[in-house]
Structures are given as C-alpha cells and as structure tokens.
Amino acid sequence: MSSKPPKSLFTYAVFYLIFLYAPVMLLPLFAFNDSAIIALPLSGFTLHWFGLLWETKALHEALYNSLLIAVITAVGSTTLGIFAARAAARYEFPGKRGIVGFIMVPLVLPEIIVGVALIVVLIQLGLSLSAWTVIIGHVLICTPFSIAILQSAFNNMDRSLEEASMDLGENKLGTFFRVILPLVTPGIISSLLISFTISLDEFIIAFFLTGTDVTLPVYIWGQLRFPARLPAIMALGFLMVSLSFFLLLTAEYFRRRANRLTGGHSQSNDGIFQ
Amino acid sequence: MRHETPSEENPVKPWRKLRFFPSMQPGGWSGLALISPPFAYSLLMLAAPLLLVFLLSMWTQNYLELDRTFTITNYKEAASEKLYQVLMARSVVISVIVTIVTVLLAYPIAYYIAFFGGKRKAIWLLLITIPFWTSYLIRVFLWKVILGYNGVVNGSLLGMGFIEEPLTFILYNANAVVITLAHAWAPFAILPIFVSISRIDKSLLEAARDLGDGPLRRFLRVTLPLSMPGVVAASLIVFIPTVGDYVTPRLLGGTDGLMIANMIQIQFGKANNAPLGSALAVSAMVIVASISIVFVLLNRRFLKVKG
C-alpha cells in the first residue's frame, strides 16, 4: 500500500477526533467558569466549585463507597481473570470455547439485564442491598475485561521460561509464583486498573443494586436533576477525567512493559479488544 | 501400527495426548480445575439469576404478594400494550440507527489507522480511547450542554449567523439519543474493525491492483469483504448493549426518546411489578438475540474468510 494517506481521509480523522473530544473539552471550561448556569458565553475564572466539593459530605461518603467497591471489584475480577486466562492460554480441555465464551457474556449483555437479574435474586432471597451486592455485579462485568488483558499477557509469555524452571527443580506451584506471576505482573496491574476504572464509573448496576451506600455515579445521577448543583458536578467531572487519564496512562505503560517482559512482540493492536 | 500426526484436519485431542504420552500432565483436568472458579461464579451470579428472571416473568404480582402459578399474562401484556410495543420498537430502531451511524463513522478511522497509521498506530488508538475513560454520566450530560437550547451548537451557529433561532430538533428527542450513543460507542466500533483491517494480507491488494482494479473496486472487492468480520463484531458490540441503554434516553430523549430500559426500571421501581419488568427484560433479550443471530447468518459468507 502507498504510505501517503489521501488528504480527505486525514481531514476526516481530525474532525472525528474533534467529535470524540468535544464533550470532554467542555469540562474544564465549565469547571472553572464563574457562573451558576452551564451555558455559553463563559464568565470569569473561579475555583469556587472545587471548594464546594470539598465541603459536600454526601459526596465524600459516595466517593468512599465507590473507592471501596472499586478496589474489591478490581481484586476479585483480576483473581478470577487470572484463573480463566491461565486456563485458556495454557491448557486444552473439553468445552473450553463454550466455558470461556460463557464467562465473557457480560461483555455483550446490556448492563440493565445484569442489574435486573441480580436484583431479582436478592429480592427472592430476601437479602438487603448493600455495597456487597454492587460488588457482585461489578465483578461479573469486569471479569471479561480482566480475562482479555491477562490472556494476552499469558499468551505472550515464553513457554521455555516455565520449562526451565521445572527443569531446575521448582514444582508447579513454585514455578507459578516465582516465574509465571512475576512475568505477568504488569498484565495484572493493568487488569486491576482497568477493572477499578470500570467499577468506579459503572452506573446502571449500582443504581439497581445499591442500598443506602450510594456510589459516586449514583450520587452524580441524583445531582443532575438540580441545576444549581451542576457547576460543582462539572468540577467533579474534571477531577475524575484527570484521575482516569492518569490511571489509563499507567495501565498502558504496564501493558507495554508486560509485552516486553514476556518476550512477546509489542503489537499496537493487542489491547483489550483482541 | 497407526501413526497419528497432528495436522490441520486432525488436531490431537487432549485425551489422545494422554493415551499416547502417558507420562504427560493431564492438562485437560488442570485446565478445567483452573477455570472452575470463574465458571462457577458466572453460573451462580449470571446463569442462575437469568433463569430466575425467566421464572419470575411467568409469575404475577398481586400488590405485595407474589403469585407463583405459571402464566403468560405478563408476556401477553408486554406484547399487546401499546406503550410497551412503542418503547420496544423504538429501542430497536434507535439501536439499529445508532449501530449504522457508529460503524459508518468508525470505518474510515479504522481504515486510516490500519493503513496509514505507520508507527503511530498505538498513539492513534490511545487518542481514541482516552475520552471514554471519563464518567459516562457526565459525558452524556455534556452532550445536553452541547445540543441544548442555549448550548454550544446553537450558540456557535447563532454567533456565526447561520441560524436566526436556536435549533430545537437536536435535544429531547431520538436525534439527541442517536448522536450521544454514536459518540459513546465509537471506540467499541473502531477497535474490532481496525483489528480486522490490519489482518488483511497486503499482497492481496497488490494482486488486485496488478490485475487492473482501481482503488474503488479494490476496496469494494478486497478490503471491504475481508474486513467484514470486524464490521459484524463492531455492529453486535454496539447494537446489543445500546438496546438496553438507560441513561441517554432518560437525560436526552425527552418523552419521545424513552426506551425499553427506562420502562423496565420503572416496573422494578415505582410500578413495583417485577414480574412484568422481567417479562419486558426477557422479551428485549429474545428480540435482541434474534436480530443478532439473523444478522450473523446474513453475513456468514464473510465470516468464514480467514484474513
């Protein structure tokens, strides 16, 4: 193929990026805008809305709940992901495609269905809603992402390193903890970060399954109805964008390091969607 | 003595490996043992609950009591009530439009990155995913700011003198929902298409050129058919979850843009009729699954091609 892209295609790519970034670009504008109304034209610069966030207690509680849920979800789904990814990358067993496919189903299931299904069970069992019920749902939807990330880490691993360890007298468990795990650690960190981010942002399941422990997105949802609260929400959004931007870059850094460590080829397309 | 050599047509099955190499680890059992915790979790937290939803959809709610006699009343109500018909049809139509718009917009980008990305492919892909790691709720809300009466679009168009009055057809209706969802699902469409275009053997394109195909024919006869697996995957990844979207129709759809997920939530919440809500959920799942299966079958001749 010729290496010169047609000019029209490049122009299209630039416009598409503008379309993708349009909403996010507005966040800093309104987060620092000295007006109670979210509309153009902008007035002066202010840090007032960030100060307001600092004083809102309900927000802090929601943030605490969300962080707790996200941390437990990340650990849970990554643990399940390690089991599934290792099994899928290393072993052949009957029914493999079906089992792995079934575990990946939440990837294409509308989240409202997951929410509905879990709430039906909880009602029938007479259990009360809490942070734990949200965690159950979040682990379910995050595990497929963990598997996808970890599977590429396990796949890229050089099998001979494992064999060398066995030859040198380590048993299977020793090999797993002293050779395999260190090699896929970057993949594990990347999986932890991705599932943490997904859980932190997930709304519908949390909306269905949260009891009195409101999560951050559920709190935001409640605030969106009150125009007076919106500027503070913009400030909050700006902080969250900055945080997830940082987390994403960190995850990407570790994913690449994983590829280098395991001796795999660093392809640009072996991300979470392959 | 028969020799069995692994080949394309006759791969060595795990149990055969055991018989021929008795000293080998029984990898099949190790694999099954390893995958059982996540599998058990999915069975317990997904399959069982879905089964219960199905059961519940055939029970009836009498105020506070749940009547556990089997009946298909809920499905009859879901199918005959005008409101549910409208919401279900609208959800499917909006999702189909969103899917077409998203995939059509995504294809050129995926094509551009795959063929002309060069060494910057990874950076392009990262650039595309970054905006989507921001709060979904806030992103959807920001579209309200962009499309609103005093919004960014109207403000700029008024300012530049293109329009006299603010446009009103872009907020609180199905258009707003389509624009916002096409934005929300963009990376999920771009990435699978990108992967399948990247896998195309470039020598096929050269062959087509040598045999006299122009750029357009080459695209239509080589690139497009070979990238169809990515297009099909992208379409399903966008279509299936979109039917169940709750936030966007609620924030931007107005009354004409509400979708089935909003009604399911109402049944589980305010209306306190979980069985009817379950019936609506099951119906939605069945409709989505049927459309997806038909779509895959229609495209099956493209899916067999190995790039």
Side-chain angles (χ1 to χ4, degrees):
Chain A
M1 250 347 247
S2 58
S3 53
K4 292 190 298 205
K7 231 191 177 115
S8 54
L9 204 56
F10 179 75
T11 320
Y12 177 79
V14 171
F15 273 102
Y16 194 85
L17 278 187
I18 293 174
F19 167 65
L20 289 188
Y21 278 82
V24 182
M25 294 298 217
L26 291 176
L27 264 184
L29 292 186
F30 293 117
F32 295 103
N33 185 26
D34 189 11
S35 159
I37 308 159
I38 306 289
L40 295 175
L42 299 172
S43 4
F45 175 88
T46 180
L47 289 173
H48 173 68
W49 309 118
F50 291 91
L52 209 60
L53 292 180
W54 188 250
E55 292 158 11
T56 316
K57 210 157 162 266
L59 168 71
H60 301 171
E61 280 165 17
L63 180 66
Y64 173 77
N65 289 332
S66 268
L67 289 176
L68 189 72
I69 290 172
V71 167
I72 300 176
T73 300
V75 173
S77 66
T78 303
T79 311
L80 289 177
I82 291 175
F83 279 102
R86 171 75 176 158
R90 176 71 167 72
Y91 298 102
E92 288 300 325
F93 49 91
K96 178 173 158 179
R97 278 178 67 105
I99 294 175
V100 176
F102 176 67
I103 298 172
M104 301 298 266
V105 159
L107 214 52
V108 288
L109 208 61
E111 281 172 358
I112 192 158
I113 301 289
V114 176
V116 163
L118 285 171
I119 200 163
V120 163
V121 172
L122 296 170
I123 292 171
Q124 293 298 311
L125 293 178
L127 294 176
S128 58
L129 299 172
S130 68
W132 285 105
T133 51
V134 180
I135 291 170
I136 291 175
H138 281 185
V139 169
L140 201 60
I141 58 160
C142 289
T143 303
F145 286 95
S146 295
I147 294 177
I149 296 165
L150 290 165
Q151 209 175 341
S152 99
F154 278 114
N155 271 335
N156 284 337
M157 201 176 61
D158 191 347
R159 185 77 71 85
S160 56
L161 294 171
E162 198 183 330
E163 283 159 8
S165 158
M166 301 286 270
D167 289 347
L168 292 169
E170 275 290 4
N171 58 15
K172 270 180 96 173
L173 209 63
T175 305
F176 184 76
F177 282 104
R178 296 189 47 183
V179 178
I180 301 172
L181 218 50
L183 283 173
V184 294
T185 297
I188 291 174
I189 294 175
S190 162
S191 153
L192 285 171
L193 290 174
I194 297 277
S195 36
F196 178 86
T197 317
I198 293 173
S199 166
L200 201 62
D201 186 38
E202 199 287 328
F203 167 67
I204 294 179
I205 293 174
F207 187 49
F208 267 77
L209 300 178
T210 195
T212 42
D213 310 332
V214 171
T215 69
L216 196 57
V218 176
Y219 171 81
I220 293 174
W221 178 254
Q223 301 294 301
L224 287 180
R225 277 179 299 165
F226 307 110
R229 306 274 175 79
L230 290 175
I233 292 298
M234 293 295 115
L236 177 63
F238 178 70
L239 290 180
M240 287 164 68
V241 170
S242 315
L243 176 73
S244 41
F245 186 65
F246 172 75
L247 285 182
L248 183 72
L249 286 182
T250 318
E252 180 65 16
Y253 168 76
F254 279 107
R255 196 179 65 75
R256 285 170 185 226
R257 233 184 99 192
N259 282 341
R260 245 177 289 141
L261 258 185
T262 48
H265 301 288
S266 174
Q267 288 166 354
S268 51
N269 59 349
D270 54 2
I272 55 173
F273 289 91
Q274 212 188 26
Chain B
M1 199 180 140
R2 271 172 69 226
H3 284 282
E4 292 213 8
T5 43
S7 65
E8 285 279 283
E9 295 82 29
N10 191 13
V12 170
K13 298 271 163 46
W15 51 89
R16 287 208 192 145
K17 263 190 204 162
L18 287 181
R19 209 186 305 150
F20 279 85
F21 306 104
S23 62
M24 244 187 75
Q25 303 274 343
W29 289 112
S30 302
L32 276 177
L34 262 178
I35 204 143
S36 57
F39 187 46
Y41 190 85
S42 291
L43 283 179
L44 211 66
M45 298 302 179
L46 186 66
L50 285 178
L51 206 66
L52 194 62
V53 168
F54 185 62
L55 278 179
L56 184 67
S57 72
M58 293 193 288
W59 295 342
T60 29
Q61 184 87 38
N62 295 326
Y63 300 101
L64 294 173
E65 299 274 301
L66 195 61
D67 182 356
R68 287 196 166 83
T69 38
F70 279 95
T71 163
I72 53 163
T73 327
N74 294 319
Y75 286 98
K76 274 190 190 150
E77 194 176 341
S80 60
E81 191 77 44
K82 190 87 170 98
L83 177 62
Y84 305 143
Q85 286 176 355
V86 169
L87 286 177
M88 192 74 82
R90 186 188 293 147
S91 305
V92 171
V93 170
I94 287 183
S95 302
V96 169
I97 297 174
V98 167
T99 307
I100 295 172
V101 170
T102 312
V103 170
L104 281 182
L105 288 177
Y107 197 96
I109 289 294
Y111 183 89
Y112 176 76
I113 301 174
F115 279 145
F116 306 110
K119 282 183 184 160
R120 294 200 208 99
K121 280 192 181 104
I123 293 173
W124 271 101
L125 292 177
L126 195 65
L127 267 177
I128 280 162
T129 34
I130 285 170
F132 298 92
W133 291 103
T134 65
S135 166
Y136 178 63
L137 285 178
I138 291 179
R139 232 185 310 136
V140 172
F141 175 79
L142 285 167
W143 275 105
K144 196 166 155 177
V145 175
I146 294 176
L147 301 171
Y149 195 79
N150 302 318
V152 178
V153 169
N154 278 327
S156 335
L157 288 179
L158 279 173
M160 290 187 284
F162 283 120
I163 50 173
E164 306 273 303
E165 300 252 303
L167 305 172
T168 51
F169 65 89
I170 47 176
L171 188 64
Y172 297 128
N173 55 31
N175 295 335
V177 176
V178 171
I179 296 174
T180 307
L181 286 175
H183 177 266
W185 289 96
F188 295 90
I190 296 172
L191 292 170
I193 299 176
F194 164 77
V195 169
S196 71
I197 295 182
S198 314
R199 284 188 184 153
I200 295 175
D201 187 350
K202 303 288 182 292
S203 59
L204 293 173
L205 292 168
E206 281 159 21
R209 188 171 47 194
D210 293 346
L211 292 169
D213 264 357
L216 185 64
R217 276 171 74 89
R218 200 165 62 210
F219 173 75
L220 290 177
R221 303 207 318 177
V222 182
T223 314
L224 187 59
L226 286 177
S227 62
M228 277 311 275
V231 172
V232 171
S235 307
L236 292 180
I237 289 176
V238 176
F239 174 72
I240 298 173
T242 306
V243 176
D245 192 67
Y246 174 83
V247 172
T248 307
R250 194 58 208 284
L251 280 180
L252 298 159
T255 44
D256 300 336
L258 285 184
M259 285 162 60
I260 196 69
N262 306 102
M263 185 47 76
I264 295 174
Q265 198 273 331
I266 288 172
Q267 295 301 335
F268 275 91
K270 267 187 233 148
N272 189 28
N273 193 345
L276 182 59
S278 303
L280 290 173
V282 172
S283 314
M285 269 197 296
V286 170
I287 292 173
V288 170
S290 323
I291 295 176
S292 309
I293 290 169
V294 170
F295 179 70
V296 170
L297 287 179
L298 285 177
N299 286 293
R300 67 181 180 280
R301 75 190 182 92
F302 297 118
L303 300 179
K304 280 182 199 148
V305 181
K306 288 258 158 83

